[in-house]
Amino acid sequence: MNMTTTKSLDGNELALEVEGERTHLGLTPGQVAIRRARRHTGLLVGFGILLMMALFAVLAPWLAPHDPYLQNLPLRLLPPAWVDGGQWSHLFGTDHLGRDYLSRIIYGARISMMIGIGAATIGAIIGVTLGVIAGYLGGWVDQAVNFLVTCQLAVPSLLLIMALVFVIGQSVTVVIFVIGATHWVFYLVVTRSATLRIRELDFVAAASAMGCSRLQIAVKEILPNLVNQILVIFTLEVAVAILNEATLSFLGLGVPSPTPSWGLMIAEGKTAMFFQPWLVILPGIALFVLVIAINLLGDGVRDVTVTNRRS
Amino acid sequence: MSTESLLEIRDLSVAIPTETSTLRAVRGVDLELRRGETLGIVGESGSGKSMTALALMNLLPPAARRSAACVNFAGADLSAVSEKELAGQVRGRKIGMIFQEPMTSLNPVYSIGRQLTETMTLHGDVSVAQARRRAIELLEKVGLPDPGSRLKQYPHELSGGQRQRVMIAMALMNEPELLIADEPTTALDVTIQAQILHLLHGLQTELGMSMILITHDLGVVSRAADRIAVMYAGDIVETGTTGQVLEDPRHPYTRGLLECVPGYREASARRLGSIPGVVPSMTGEIRGCAFAARCSRAVETCFTESPPVRALGSARTYVCHDPEETPGRLSPAEPPVARAAATRQDQDCVLKVEGVSRSFSVRRGMFGKRKSLKALDNVSLEIRKGEVLALVGESGCGKSTLTRTILGLDIPDSGSVTLAGRPVGELPPRQRARMIQPIFQDPYSSLNPRKTIGDIIGRPLQVNQVGARGEQQARVRRMMELVGLPTRVFNSFPDQLSGGQRQRVAIARALILDPEIVICDEPTSALDVSVQAQILNLLLDLRDELDLTYLFVTHDLSVVGHLADRVAVMYLGEIAECGDRDQVLAHPKHPYTRALLDSALTIAPELDVPEPHLTGDFPNPMNRPGGCPFHPRCPLADARCRSRVPERERSTDGTLVKCWKAGDAGGVFSQLAKGQALDAVPTPENNKEESAP
Amino acid sequence: MISYVLRRTLMALLVALTVSFGTFGLFYFATDPAQTIAGEDAPQEMVDAIREQYGFDRPVSAQYVDWLGSVLQGDFGQSYFWKQPVVELIQEHAKVTIMLALSALLITVVIALPLGISAALRPNSWVDRFALSTAVSAQAIPNFWLGLMLIILFAVTFPIFPVSGDSSWRNYVLPAFVLGASSVPAVMRLTRTGLLDVMGSDYIRTARAKGFTGYRLILRQALRNALLPIVSVLAVQLGHKLGGSIVTESVFSMNGLGRLAVESIFNSDIPTVQSLILLFVLTFVLLTLAADLINAWLDPRIRMG
Amino acid sequence: GPSDDTLVVAFSKALTTVDRLYSIQREGLILSRLTDDGLFFVDPETLEFEPLAAASYQWVSDTRLDITLRDNIHFHDGSRLTAEDVVYTFRWVLSKDSDTSRGAVIRGWLDSVEKLGPLRVRFNLKMPYPMALRDMAISIPLRKSGTYDDARGGDQPLNGIGPYRVKQFDVGRRIVLERFEDYYTDSPKAGARIKNMVFRVIPDEGTQQAELLSGGIDLMMDVPPDVADNISALPGVERLRGNDIRIGYLTLDAAGYSNPDSPMTRLKVRQAINHAINREAIARYLVRGSARAIPYACHPRQFGCQADGPRYSYDPEKARRLLAEAGYPRGFSFKLWAYREKIIAEAIVSDLKAVGLDVDLRYVKLNVFSKMRNDQRMEAFFASYGSGGTPDASASTGVHFAANSNRNYSGDQALADTVLAAEHTIDPDQRRRLYRKALNRIAAQAYWVPLFSYSQNYLLTPALSLPVPEDGVPRLWQAAWRQ
Ligand SMILES: Nc1ncnc2c1ncn2[C@@H]1O[C@H](COP(=O)(O)OP(=O)(O)OP(=O)(O)O)[C@@H](O)[C@H]1O
Ligand SMILES: Nc1ncnc2c1ncn2[C@@H]1O[C@H](COP(=O)(O)OP(=O)(O)OP(=O)(O)O)[C@@H](O)[C@H]1O
Ligand SMILES: [Mg+2]
Ligand SMILES: [Mg+2]
């Protein structure tokens, strides 16, 4: 097609040029998000801390001063270095088996992150799949999913997790799967309602008018629009999963000993908490800092990706 | 009309700080309003009309900052009084306000009785009983039957028109001196719009109020306002009496705007005039004239210097450098495109809808039972090759449901849609996609916000596996050129485009598979007139270029008059009347068509808002009246209409009508309308001559 | 409305049945209740005798049907471990949990609502920041750890409250605070966003245009709308608290339903576990139903459709 | 405290019943020694079985025992103890539908009980059973005739003959006792000094500590050594160290039940594991107190616990060598199951890892543990056994290596025969010989890794004086307030 036809077809080519000069195109959604992120303190702080923690987790073998599993019974229950009786070779002291507490806390970041991310991923897969299916197909499928959700919500989730871990047996994988398998309702509720909303939008109708199958529509049209929300829930669920793991381990049904899990460490330190309070306080602080960082990040991501179009 | 000034605004500005910069929504507006006068503020979306009104009452969004040299209202300077005083003395008491969205402007959890009476009791010294009496009186006045029992109802039990009436009653509870109506009818159907405007007009004269009527509809201001202020990019560019401004527009923007309206003056032309470009982003300082970039007459100074205010007589001003027409920038007067329609009369039918019915089952409320809602009732239609068939009807009458059925996206309960000789339901989706494609109403929701423009337009090719990747890209670029999209938006996201551009993207996507039939479901009703004009032009050009057939859904009769070959009028899921455009618009057989035509407001400053002939609202489709579904609103209805569904009949001039009174509709109506309204709808034949003063 | 309530109840029963059958199977295949009943050092003969006596050697379906049958006749059976009618057992423990849950809910409401409301009224002010940071931290503090820290602080270092037990109101202060704090973030955020939404809505603008400002605007126009989601979330939170605040009860050694549930699991005390699950499910469903009904009462759109 | 003459004791686990016939928990045993008397009792100093409610006894033959009762014993309801009550109690235990916790054991050896006179009773045994006095002392409190006639007597207050009577019983919360003033004065347990006792259920250790420090309780039992160390350093707390007859051990699946090809079926592997674990260090640093590493499958204080079989010293090098010889130079992986003392289990795992074994610790609750153990699905497990407080090898060695025991993972029939023979032998020398044979066999085959004996730590208010029990079961009737 040559220029003349264009011209004859559209009297507005002039307009578009003018438009091009005057209204420079806005930013892409990604650029907008990054621009906002740069000025979002909470997000930056959260991201910074998390990055540091992630480094700790990844580089644990090089950063940890000792083998976190190495027991040294004669040196057990050493207080932190700054307390009377502490040694500088064991900065945070040692635990009941004489293992270096600092090294265990550093390795603990690994466990927490692994479980957090693993469980949140599993939850996301279950929740998003069910949510999109229920929202998109509706009808009896929706009813069935709704039933599942009620089942899930009606039973106290910690109790359910405990029962499952108790019966299946303790291991990191089991904990990841069980926490993941009991934390998908949030994903589901959000993706379902978003899908319900999106499926009424005209671009979905346009897609089916152009011959897309339902699967194509669900995956190619609807899913990309859920990514932001899923990401936000994901970060929040990572935090929830980490706390859940700690709680489970605290109650004795989380990851198995001698894995260095913060919750487990708190549980083990609890018997001595009035006398060696650092056994409880230090891993608690680590947990708190990690979770708060993730939450800040999650809140930040939500603030940054939210579309505040007027209408 | 008294000449005493009630309201005087000087240099009112509103700035809204955003994340990256400051949006200056209103820039130094000057306005004046006399007692008893109606001032119409017109302008395209985003021009700052609402912000001006809200700034008066200090109801701006929390972030917004207001500044004004003075806002004199009945002797007091509103820009200086405290929030408390404003709330206690002015808002709701001296100034009443009606908002655009009747559906959301009433508090859903309180009864309307409570919401009405508290307007009075809040401001003290009135007993609840008194307030109730006043509320009942006002509800009666705004035309709500049985007002006593209405007080117990909740907003969701009322239709949009009824809610808007309640809003009006609420605004009038304390007999304010000024009523600000911000697009009071935009969300309503034409028939209701006419009723509401009529009502407002009556109340205003009765109570001696002044009124500010904000709208983007030039037809509405032309009928309802005494004076007009045209707003552009946060500033008033032209004011004057309605007649002056509309008959003799001085500002190029006003002129351009008028030319965009289908049916205004040069309506016989197939191409509408248009204002190129879009409203400038209102962030930061605008140098020179804000309109310069879109102005066909703009010269050097327009871009560098603020235009001066020019006065013509006492209350007539406009803001412009007033340069000569700039050669070269002038949009060429389009030669009238030869109409091929006449020759397309009895061509072969490409799409046939036969006896289609569709019901939904809906549950109302949490405890409600499921009820069946009949959205389509035995609809039959034919679309012929190369024609534009317009489908008109009020909101909720089933237009979209019908288009979805035609597209094969919805399966009818009974009846069939035949496309190229085969039922659409049986066509494989991809084959169907190559024959028929939709364009939707809302350019925001019709594009996937997560995909780039290139992807969106090329997606049909991908799905249908047409050609290799490179070839697809080339086709997308060609298509973008064809619909007038700059290629640099190829990798942009929909959010970065203006409404008009988005609609072009939607058009490109619909056309890239080379379909025969395009179903346009109100493609321009979300757009401003200037953009609507561009899109309508484009659609018509494309039709001729690509030999397309359109089913064009709309509720705007002026658009119908502008582009349709044939018209089908829908009411409550039925086709009430269907025939050639000229026949239907000039000699409507069905009383409903007649009423629609009466209610459509063309630009005619010399005329008032017509008296509505239809009583009542569009009924809830869940409680369809028996017999002829139109009988409760029909001025001609008799016992037969109430009891028996009318047959579909072909009248002498070839239109199909479904009415017992088809024969005498014209006669009775012309009596009722007292000769006022035959010109109400612009058909190419009758518009110009008859509407001239 | 009656049909709605019936539908919901039916759903609840179905949920309860599904869950309880799942539990039954789980325990049957993985644990040996006989040994727990007998004790760790119990000799072989004793364990075998118990197994036979309780019928643990029968197929799972038979055991389940038996249990279901007696439940349908209103007999929730005897706890294997406590050797006490389950109903009595639950009654005893429920007192603690109900007390704890209600006081925790009270604390949640007392902290979260005012905070959320004041945050919503002045977005981005210091109140808002304070509220948000409270929420973020409260969300990040592990419940059990907060409990331990409070014990160290208020029961040992400054012995103001007792460390454990459930005998007097003073026992409930710390646990109720810990449990209440755990739902503060959710409720606070919801109150804030809900109220912000409402405050930004068209009908509030209408109300302002009528002359409403200040507290009258909030109380007489906005609150009822904002309350809708809060009611729902409070019902869910209360449901979860009544479903046994396992962690809190364990940290503060309170003898509530959560603890009973955990111990029953550890002891494979199936009749107790099953009855508790029935109880939890029904409580939860009833509470959400109640929330829906309250919402229907608050909102005519739901009530009348 | 002494001010109200009330001793408050913390229990970690709740008792489900105060009737000893229906519970076998340790807490039940401690309580039962206050509220009940049996025909015999375990002498706190010598750990011999001495007559208590019985005035005297006589072995008429290997399978016949005659007992004469004291004539001045009252039940808590005021009635007198007669031969009828004794007969009733034992017949009740023997009857199948009584469902008492000890019925199955007693039925194993006791044939019948007869009344010979108002205060004389005869016991007919099914076979020679040297532990008869033990069972009577530890498991069978005497009950008033007719106690269980209606509704199992569960609703009535416990009617025992012990020095204290139950005043109040809140399941899962507390038990209140009051001194029984009509207690027979010639009882070895007579002369209780404290008037009231309250047993509070406080499952959480930390809470118990805090309560002890704040004066909420007077006595805490089963205190982990670390806690005991820490708390006893504070003013206002006294610590007692005592022995416990409990032992810890590892069982290895020598029979290959869990998997016929299990490495545990190889002697060298089992020996390697024996050499790999540093029992001394565990006993010294973790169990602490009077705990010692034990060489054989019984507690050294138990009768018959003398042997001269191989002893395995802590020698990781040798362990590695043995593993290599067995064909596992790079070790192998297996699951070690445990259900108590997690820290010790971890220490064991750590030692095993040090010699190249990849151990996965499965720390589970008892009901899961026993399911696995009874299904014979464990390759190795760490467990402990308290022998029911019995100072006799039959209670440990006998129980664990009997042919029908599902704790027996040795699959060694000959060993089982030896143990059974010892069980039915009354003659002490003969029994000693049989146990020595069994213990030597166990050590030579390394079926077990005998680990250590336990110790007991008690924390109490300094106002309280309490003799330290030799077998880990406190005799609270001996408690008194210091002046
Ligand atoms: N709450 C808000 N926050 C930020 N910007 C706003 C807000 N409300 C309006 N604006 C912007 O202010 C400008 C003027 O808006 P205004 O509502 O006055 O336009 P309008 O002429 O009433 O348009 P419409 O016909 O669409 O109602 C627009 O650019 C709009 O985007
Ligand atoms: N999926 C659905 N479920 C229930 N009711 C529906 C559904 N789709 C449409 N309806 C109802 O069917 C009737 C016709 O709707 P439709 O969208 O076809 O109207 P319309 O003429 O396109 O109106 P508008 O001009 O507002 O777009 C309406 O009352 C609508 O509420
Ligand atoms: Mg507006
Ligand atoms: Mg529509």
Side-chain angles (χ1 to χ4, degrees), chain D residues 68-81:
Chain D
T68 309
L69 300 172
R70 293 181 204 262
D71 60 357
N72 55 349
I73 301 181
H74 292 276
F75 279 99
H76 294 159
D77 68 354
S79 56
R80 242 170 221 287
L81 174 81

Side-chain angles (χ1 to χ4, degrees), chain A residues 194-215:
Chain A
T195 307
L196 273 178
R197 184 175 49 78
I198 293 172
R199 91 171 169 181
E200 297 303 325
L201 294 184
D202 289 338
F203 69 81
V204 173
S208 55
M210 69 178 73
C212 288
S213 67
R214 289 192 196 196
L215 186 68

Side-chain angles (χ1 to χ4, degrees), chain C residues 28-33 35-36 38-49 51 53 81-84 89 92-93 96 156 163-166 250-251 253 255 259 263 265-268, chain D residues 13-16 22 24-25 99 101-102 104-105 107 152 171-173 200 202-204 206-207 210-211 246 339-340 365-368 370-371 373-374 384-388 404-407:
Chain C
Y28 177 81
F29 288 109
T31 68
D32 176 21
Q35 183 82 49
T36 319
E40 64 170 314
D41 285 351
Q44 183 81 37
E45 301 90 349
M46 215 162 114
V47 179
D48 292 343
R51 195 168 293 129
Q53 177 197 334
F81 187 72
W82 302 97
K83 299 180 177 97
Q84 206 184 342
L89 203 58
E92 264 165 41
H93 289 75
V96 175
V156 179
V163 174
S164 73
D166 42 39
S250 131
V251 170
S253 316
N255 239 316
R259 198 176 182 85
E263 283 184 3
I265 289 179
F266 287 165
N267 295 326
S268 305
Chain D
K13 291 200 194 103
L15 267 178
T16 52
Y22 288 94
I24 69 148
Q25 282 168 273
D99 289 340
S101 62
R102 291 292 165 154
V105 178
R107 277 194 294 276
R152 269 191 170 185
V171 182
R173 262 170 240 269
R200 282 183 56 194
I202 307 178
D204 187 76
T207 317
E211 291 279 6
R246 180 173 292 276
Y339 69 97
R340 54 180 284 165
K365 291 283 181 240
L366 178 62
N367 50 352
V368 175
S370 64
K371 173 87 172 171
R373 187 184 59 198
N374 299 351
S384 79
Y385 201 69
S387 297
N404 66 344
S405 167
N406 46 27
R407 290 187 167 98

